[in-house]
Amino acid sequence: MFKFLNIAVIGLALLAGGHKISSVENSGNWVYMYDDQGRRYKSLSAASVGEVKGFSADFFVSRNGNWIYLYDSEGRRYKSLSYSSVGDVSGVSGSTFTSRHGNWIYTWDRDGKRIHSRPAR
C-alpha cells in the first residue's frame, strides 16, 4: 500500500508540473535552482547553461556564447535561439521574456515565439 501511495504522489507531482522556480543563481561552475520552499533542487553545469538572464516560476532564460537557451522548471533545456535574432535579454516575467536587438524591443513567449515587437526609443 505504501509503495502504491508513493507512486501516486510522484505521478501527481509530475502532472502538476513539478517544481516552481523561486530563484536561479550562477555560482562558480554551477547554476543552482531553488523551489518555492527555498530548497535547492537542481544543480546544472554553468559551462552548458551559461549566464542566467532571468527566470519566472515556470522557466528561465540563459545566454551561452551565440545562443539563448530556454529551460523548464525541471532544468531541462527545451529551446535554443540564436543570439543574432534575439539580442540582449532584458527581463523575464510570467510566461514571456523581453529582449532588445538594435533599435527594436521584442517580446517572446515561453516557447521561443516572438509575439510582439516595437521600436526602441
Side-chain angles (χ1 to χ4, degrees), residues 1 4 16 20 28 30 32 55 78 82 96-97 99-100 102 114:
M1 179 68 176
F4 174 77
K20 293 292 184 189
W30 297 99
Y32 297 121
F55 63 89
Y78 64 90
S82 169
T96 63
F97 67 98
S99 68
R100 181 177 179 140
R114 189 167 63 202

Side-chain angles (χ1 to χ4, degrees), residues 33-44:
M33 297 177 70
Y34 295 88
D35 66 11
D36 53 356
Q37 303 293 314
R39 293 186 206 115
R40 183 170 70 198
Y41 69 93
K42 190 74 173 185
S43 301
L44 305 168

Side-chain angles (χ1 to χ4, degrees), residues 1 3-4 12 18 36 73 81 83-84 86 92 96-97 101 104 108 115:
M1 179 68 176
K3 188 174 184 178
F4 174 77
L12 287 174
D36 53 356
S73 64
L81 303 166
Y83 175 77
S84 64
V86 175
V92 179
T96 63
F97 67 98
H101 189 328
W104 290 92
W108 306 79
I115 56 176

